[in-house]
């Protein structure tokens, strides 16, 4: 599962464009710098492919290690 | 199942780049490579003038500011006196291909043992979007109001192609940052450049095609399409020179 650091996000929407599952969407809340940020519309559909993290310019999306152990 | 952690070679604060600016993306992948190679404390990042300087307050590690276009000259001096350090210059297209043209040519021709990462967004981003030597024909900038015209301003300079004609450089390659695939290829090329340097095999040059949403007057998403249909067909991605193809993987 992805983790978004809301403070780092600038709302560019690159992650939304490239998510193969189309489960990222920009929300209506802004972070403290005034940027809209994305959220998952359906967590269960996330395949943890990391494409969103690869294209995010800010490194705002992480895929934590712990998930590996849970699997 | 991918695992991803933001590189420790970036500070924890947000970058100073505009939303969607690929300067952030290139800085992030360079930081990832530095982390993965265990070079965080051994690396020196040199920025000249342009939006690359925003890395002065974003890069977590040694970083030095050089005069406009002169990063390769500073890198030459530093690397020659500190050969064990991983040294790279991170330069914009106005910086590298206009005011700094002599320095990049000289350093490449001498085969200096450091890496140059060239961020080509086809404009002077920091100063408000003037024409750069790399601005595309027909591209509107604040100094080419009706689009760049070859008659009066010449043609966009292809730095990889130029540098690849020189004898000395070890590795010269170009990638585009507008897709995840391009980002992954770019990262691999940066790693290769750094490995060539750490093996003492000489000069490496990696051009990254990027954007400037603010001065192109586009949303970040629009710049991705623009790059696909305009930038990439002219500045073709690929490896232009690879002297040690069989020795350094
Ligand atoms: C000696 C000198 N000349 C001119 C300038 C003004 N100046 C600042 S940044 C810049 C161009 C930057 O363009 P580029 O290298 O493409 O960087 P970008 O901001 O697009 O990444 C210029 C001409 C300066 N700071 N110093
Ligand atoms: S990890 Fe893959 S599937 Fe999950 S949100 Fe990111 S891009 Fe979409
Ligand atoms: S790619 Fe990164 S900065 Fe851009 S919207 Fe997604 S999380 Fe935010
Ligand atoms: S002005 Fe252009 S190059 Fe500079 S940070 Fe903004 S988008 Fe990036
Ligand atoms: Mg530029």
């Amino acid at each position: 599962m992805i983790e978004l650091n809301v403070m780092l996000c600038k709302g560019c929407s690159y992650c939304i464009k490239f998510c193969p599952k189309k489960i990222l969407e920009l929300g209506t809340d802004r972070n403290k710098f005034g940027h809209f940020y994305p959220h998952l519309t359906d967590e269960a559909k996330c395949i943890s492919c990391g494409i969103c993290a690869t294209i995010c310019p800010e490194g705002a999306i992480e895929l934590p290690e712990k998930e590996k152990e849970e699997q | 199942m991918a695992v991803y952690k933001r590189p420790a070679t970036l500070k924890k604060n947000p970058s100073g780049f505009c939303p969607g600016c690929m300067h952030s993306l290139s800085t992030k992948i360079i930081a990832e490579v530095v982390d993965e190679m265990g070079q965080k404390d051994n690396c020196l990042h040199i920025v000249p003038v342009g939006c690359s300087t925003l890395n002065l307050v974003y890069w977590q590690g040694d970083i030095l500011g050089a005069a406009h276009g002169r990063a390769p000259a500073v890198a030459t001096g530093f690397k020659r006196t500190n050969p064990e350090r991983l040294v790279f210059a991170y330069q914009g297209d106005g910086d590298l291909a206009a005011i700094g043209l002599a320095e990049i040519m000289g350093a490449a021709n001498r085969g200096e043992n450091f890496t140059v990462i060239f961020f080509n967004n086809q404009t002077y981003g920091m100063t408000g979007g003037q024409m750069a030597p790399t601005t595309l024909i027909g591209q509107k900038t604040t100094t080419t109001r009706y689009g760049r015209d070859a008659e009066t301003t010449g043609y966009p300079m292809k730095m990889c192609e130029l540098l690849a004609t020189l004898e000395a450089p070890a590795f010269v390659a170009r990638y585009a940052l507008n897709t995840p695939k391009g980002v992954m290829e770019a990262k691999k090329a940066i790693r290769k450049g750094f490995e060539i340097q750490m093996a003492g095999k000489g000069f490496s040059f990696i051009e990254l095609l990027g954007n400037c949403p603010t001065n192109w007057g586009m949303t970040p998403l629009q710049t991705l399409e623009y790059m696909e249909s305009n930038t990439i067909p002219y500045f073709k991605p690929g490896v232009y020179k690879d002297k040690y193809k069989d020795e350094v993987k």
Side-chain angles (χ1 to χ4, degrees):
Chain A
M1 188 63 61
I2 64 163
E3 271 178 17
L4 174 71
N5 185 335
V6 169
M7 188 192 67
L8 296 178
C9 175
K10 292 185 179 166
C12 68
S13 302
Y14 294 161
C15 55
I16 299 172
K17 179 182 168 83
F18 290 106
C19 170
K21 295 290 167 189
K22 299 289 166 224
I23 48 172
L24 285 165
E25 181 182 274
L26 224 51
T28 50
D29 291 341
R30 296 173 189 264
N31 69 12
K32 71 169 177 179
F33 301 103
H35 300 299
F36 294 109
Y37 54 88
H39 59 90
L40 280 174
T41 55
D42 189 347
E43 290 189 1
K45 282 197 185 147
C46 176
I47 54 169
S48 296
C49 63
I51 289 174
C52 52
T54 299
I55 198 74
C56 175
E58 307 302 325
I61 298 174
E62 291 194 329
L63 286 94
E65 187 95 47
K66 60 177 189 295
E67 192 162 357
K68 246 188 179 172
E69 293 148 27
E70 285 163 14
Q71 292 296 308
Chain B
M1 185 115 340
V3 169
Y4 179 79
K5 212 175 147 25
R6 191 170 189 269
T9 308
L10 292 181
K11 290 198 193 305
K12 291 187 164 58
N13 54 281
S15 76
F17 303 110
C18 305
C21 178
M22 290 173 188
H23 263 303
S24 270
L25 192 46
S26 49
T27 302
K28 184 191 80 168
I29 59 174
I30 300 166
E32 287 171 9
V33 173
V34 170
D35 272 26
E36 286 162 19
M37 290 178 70
Q39 292 289 329
K40 181 170 174 284
D41 299 324
N42 189 46
C43 178
L44 178 71
H45 180 160
I46 303 173
V47 289
V49 170
C51 285
S52 59
T53 52
L54 295 168
N55 276 340
L56 289 168
V57 288
Y58 190 47
W59 187 260
Q60 181 62 54
D62 287 351
I63 180 163
L64 196 69
H68 210 349
R70 272 58 173 182
V74 173
T76 297
F78 187 86
K79 181 72 183 189
R80 284 190 181 193
T81 47
N82 299 270
E84 73 293 351
R85 299 285 298 266
L86 172 65
V87 178
F88 74 94
Y90 179 59
Q91 303 181 253
D93 49 326
D95 182 84
L96 181 139
I99 194 168
L101 196 56
E103 280 70 23
I104 186 63
M105 284 297 177
N109 192 46
R110 295 190 304 269
E112 296 293 343
N113 190 36
F114 60 80
T115 306
V116 172
I117 300 172
F118 171 44
F119 184 79
N120 176 1
N121 61 0
Q122 303 108 62
T123 192
Y124 287 13
M126 176 151 273
T127 46
Q130 293 82 1
M131 191 198 91
T134 44
T135 295
L136 296 172
I137 297 299
Q139 185 182 335
K140 288 187 176 132
T141 69
T142 55
T143 49
T144 54
R145 301 288 295 275
Y146 303 104
R148 181 175 183 175
D149 164 29
E151 239 357 71
T152 48
T153 55
Y155 291 87
M157 286 178 79
K158 296 176 171 173
M159 292 309 300
C160 281
E161 287 85 332
L162 273 173
L163 292 171
T165 65
L166 300 174
E167 194 58 39
F171 183 63
V172 178
R174 175 192 290 133
Y175 293 99
L177 299 176
N178 66 330
T179 61
K181 180 169 175 274
V183 173
M184 287 188 291
E185 289 170 341
K187 186 176 164 184
K188 243 173 99 180
I190 293 165
R191 169 119 198 183
K192 178 159 175 155
F194 285 176
E195 279 172 357
I196 287 170
Q197 179 187 156
M198 293 319 273
K201 290 185 182 296
F203 187 79
S204 47
F205 183 86
I206 297 109
E207 174 173 348
L208 304 176
L209 297 175
N211 62 356
C212 175
T214 301
N215 290 296
W216 288 6
M218 294 180 198
T219 66
L221 289 178
Q222 284 168 339
T223 69
L224 303 181
E225 298 300 327
Y226 175 88
M227 286 176 69
E228 202 60 44
S229 41
N230 297 278
T231 316
I232 292 172
Y234 186 83
F235 293 112
K236 295 200 169 53
V239 176
Y240 285 84
K241 188 158 193 222
D242 192 354
K243 221 174 179 175
Y244 301 101
K245 207 182 319 193
D246 306 321
E247 294 172 46
V248 185
K249 51 168 185 1

